[in-house]
Amino acid sequence: MEWARLISAQRWLPVPPGVRAEVLLADNQAGNRTEFERDYDRLVFSSPFRRLQNKTQVFPLPGSIFVHNRLTHTLEVASVGRSLGRMIGQRVAETEPALPHSVEDFGDIVSTACLAHDLGNPPFGHGGEDAISKFFQERESDFRNRYKLTVGEWADLAGFEGNANTFRILTHTFVGRRPGGYALTYATLAATQKYPCESLGQAKGKGAHRKKYGVFQSEKEVLVAVFEALGIPRQSERPLVYPRHPLVYLVEAADDICNLVIDLEDAHRTGLFGAKLVEELLMACFEGEAVAEKRRINANLNLISDPRERVGYLRARAIHRLTRHSAEVFWAHHTSILAGKFAPDIMDQLEPSLAQAVRAIQEISQSKIYNETGAVMVELSGYRILSELLELFSDAVLAERTTRYQRKILELMPLQLKPGLGASPYKRLQSVVDFVSGMTDVFAVDLYRRLFGIARPDVY
């Protein structure tokens, strides 16, 4: 892979029949912004991005204690991603001075991909993904066998993946919308592909699906077009597998850094962890620092008496150190990354003392934070809510002769998500998944209560 091709400003703009390509291109002039800055702005102003404000990150929403939701988490990931992108952009500029791309371009691509990284996640956290998958797995004879879905189509549904859903949101032409989804640049689209492969091929057995993948059958041709144009060599045809775009490693590192440190800070704000424990865990991140640097950190910390501010200061310093070292790891391995041969995550290759501190935080987060009662309740209630909503809308879209009730149910779906006349069963079921996965936590709970008679609809 070569940076000159990888940092492509070409846009995904499929031209519909009867439309001149220059019409679409004329509406995509950069003006005083770079193409990659325009990508960033398009996502910031998008509806899926706004909906992240009412989707759970870890702790339940809402409340008087302001913990992170998906939106605030995503903005912080984008901030860290921009720093990582610029650090690597500077290194690339030093080694390839003739490259026609700025240091800022690298930062903009990574930060925009960070903005997109959770767009496809359903409500109620990662438990929502499991709820959608389990719904279809438990109805294999009803859906897969009855409607003769292909192996790939069934794998998409029975192993629903938020990453693949993100790519669909970014590139699919939904009903009534302009072609190409958000018409993002190829570089940005590829940088969102954490798992650039289809759903088939990992587990054994007929119709088995990968646990993690990046594209549904419906958008597979888009992935091929983007990756081929960027010069990313295909690793496998059946199933379709590509190596990652190099900047994906930075997007992933930014997300990992924020998850690691911010979840710890939220645990303190909710009272789950005391300040002393959090300070000890974060201070361990500086064990490998020079003596002078550790003295500066302690001196500044001693000037702060408020426990929340002390945790906030250490959080900022820990993110800074993890970001700097992640960039160093990337550059140390950039040759193998460009060759598509780097397998581990960036965070797996940190220097020993920092890696040990990271493991300690991960272990306590897994045992205490992610199994906290409120977080578990969100997952359990979300499972019930999503399953019943999926059943209600799936029955309606698949019905050969809809009842009056089913027709009313279908009227609740937005126009752009309704399956067209003659749509295949796969596309009909996808339209339901599009609708349910795009809901916010609050909307899903409210709709569930109203449809199942738990709350009375508003009377006007």
Side-chain angles (χ1 to χ4, degrees):
M1 291 181 271
E2 300 175 353
W3 288 115
R5 289 186 68 180
L6 291 168
I7 311 300
S8 170
Q10 182 179 351
R11 293 190 175 277
W12 172 243
L13 280 171
V15 181
V19 176
R20 290 178 299 141
E22 56 266 29
V23 173
L24 293 177
L25 293 172
D27 199 34
N28 279 276
Q29 301 302 312
N32 61 351
R33 295 174 294 165
T34 69
E35 296 293 347
F36 306 120
E37 287 174 326
R38 295 178 70 231
D39 282 352
Y40 185 95
D41 294 346
R42 286 186 182 189
L43 292 192
V44 165
F45 284 91
S46 71
S47 295
F49 183 73
R50 287 196 300 276
R51 286 197 292 268
L52 293 176
Q53 67 184 304
N54 260 330
K55 288 193 175 185
T56 298
Q57 176 61 17
V58 174
F59 294 95
L61 301 172
S64 58
I65 300 174
F66 289 97
V67 294
H68 288 77
N69 55 37
R70 287 279 175 185
L71 182 64
T72 51
H73 163 74
T74 296
L75 289 169
E76 290 172 354
V77 173
S79 179
V80 174
R82 183 189 302 110
S83 297
L84 282 167
R86 289 183 177 179
M87 289 176 185
I88 298 307
Q90 183 62 49
R91 295 290 190 96
V92 173
E94 292 168 358
T95 57
E96 299 185 38
L99 193 71
H101 301 290
S102 69
V103 170
E104 288 74 20
D105 286 343
F106 283 78
D108 290 337
I109 293 167
V110 176
S111 61
T112 304
C114 289
L115 286 185
H117 86 280
D118 272 350
L119 290 185
N121 281 8
F124 310 114
H126 290 294
E129 288 180 296
D130 293 336
I132 295 173
S133 298
K134 289 291 184 183
F135 170 78
F136 287 105
Q137 290 170 17
E138 293 169 358
R139 293 161 179 78
E140 184 169 0
S141 59
D142 294 339
F143 293 139
R144 182 186 178 188
N145 300 336
R146 181 178 178 183
Y147 295 103
K148 296 180 172 57
L149 300 176
T150 68
V151 175
E153 290 171 347
W154 180 248
D156 288 351
L157 297 169
F160 174 80
E161 231 297 320
N163 290 285
N165 201 37
T166 292
F167 196 71
R168 177 173 170 81
I169 290 169
L170 296 178
T171 62
H172 186 72
T173 302
F174 290 96
V175 176
R177 292 193 58 186
R178 291 193 306 170
Y182 289 95
L184 300 180
T185 62
Y186 282 15
T188 295
L189 287 174
T192 68
Q193 273 292 330
K194 188 175 179 180
Y195 309 103
C197 58
E198 61 180 318
S199 56
L200 296 174
Q202 179 170 305
K204 296 180 180 179
K206 186 178 179 181
H209 58 82
R210 291 176 180 264
K211 184 171 178 62
K212 293 292 184 181
Y213 61 95
V215 64
F216 296 132
Q217 299 300 305
S218 48
E219 285 73 50
K220 200 161 71 167
E221 292 182 2
V222 183
L223 183 74
V224 171
V226 170
F227 275 58
E228 296 295 325
L230 296 177
I232 301 176
R234 195 176 305 189
Q235 290 181 335
S236 170
E237 177 69 34
R238 297 175 66 90
L240 184 68
V241 180
Y242 285 95
R244 288 174 165 185
H245 186 292
L247 296 184
V248 173
Y249 289 97
L250 303 182
V251 176
E252 182 178 51
D255 188 28
D256 288 345
I257 290 169
C258 289
N259 281 330
L260 184 80
V261 180
I262 300 303
D263 291 350
L264 203 58
E265 184 180 28
D266 280 351
H268 172 247
R269 284 189 171 271
T270 61
L272 183 62
F273 288 171
K276 182 179 179 182
L277 172 62
V278 175
E279 286 185 25
E280 288 175 355
L281 289 167
L282 291 176
M283 282 298 294
C285 293
F286 312 113
E287 283 300 317
E289 286 279 31
V291 174
E293 179 62 18
K294 286 197 286 188
R295 284 175 178 168
R296 276 194 294 272
I297 292 171
N298 280 309
N300 280 297
L301 191 62
N302 289 334
L303 296 173
I304 307 169
S305 59
D306 185 285
R308 287 188 177 183
E309 289 299 313
R310 288 171 64 87
V311 169
Y313 171 73
L314 290 176
R315 175 255 300 153
R317 295 298 308 176
I319 289 176
H320 174 73
R321 183 157 199 257
L322 287 164
T323 300
R324 179 160 49 87
H325 279 264
S326 294
E328 291 174 1
V329 170
F330 180 96
W331 195 248
H333 296 278
H334 78 278
T335 302
S336 61
I337 289 174
L338 284 171
K341 296 179 180 179
F342 184 73
D345 298 335
I346 293 293
M347 294 284 283
D348 292 337
Q349 302 295 306
L350 297 172
E351 58 94 8
S353 66
L354 190 53
Q356 183 177 349
V358 166
R359 282 194 298 272
I361 296 174
Q362 288 172 334
E363 288 171 4
I364 197 169
S365 296
Q366 190 62 50
S367 62
K368 300 293 185 181
I369 297 177
Y370 306 138
N371 286 314
E372 184 266 337
T373 302
V376 172
M377 288 297 292
V378 167
E379 184 174 340
L380 293 176
S381 63
Y383 187 93
R384 173 73 178 271
I385 290 168
L386 295 188
S387 295
E388 297 203 24
L389 289 176
L390 285 166
E391 184 163 14
L392 197 64
F393 284 94
S394 295
D395 288 345
V397 298
L398 292 172
E400 293 182 9
R401 293 184 179 180
T402 55
T403 64
R404 180 176 179 274
Y405 178 71
Q406 287 173 329
R407 289 193 292 273
K408 292 291 185 181
I409 287 294
L410 292 177
E411 287 178 9
L412 297 175
M413 294 179 67
L415 175 63
Q416 64 175 296
L417 300 183
K418 290 182 179 179
L421 293 174
S424 68
Y426 171 64
K427 290 183 178 179
R428 289 175 178 272
L429 289 171
Q430 266 197 315
S431 70
V432 174
V433 175
D434 289 335
F435 180 42
V436 173
S437 66
M439 294 178 181
T440 65
D441 295 23
V442 174
F443 181 85
V445 171
D446 185 59
L447 183 62
Y448 175 82
R449 286 173 173 168
R450 292 166 186 265
L451 290 177
F452 291 95
I454 299 171
R456 192 181 68 165
D458 293 334
V459 178
Y460 296 96

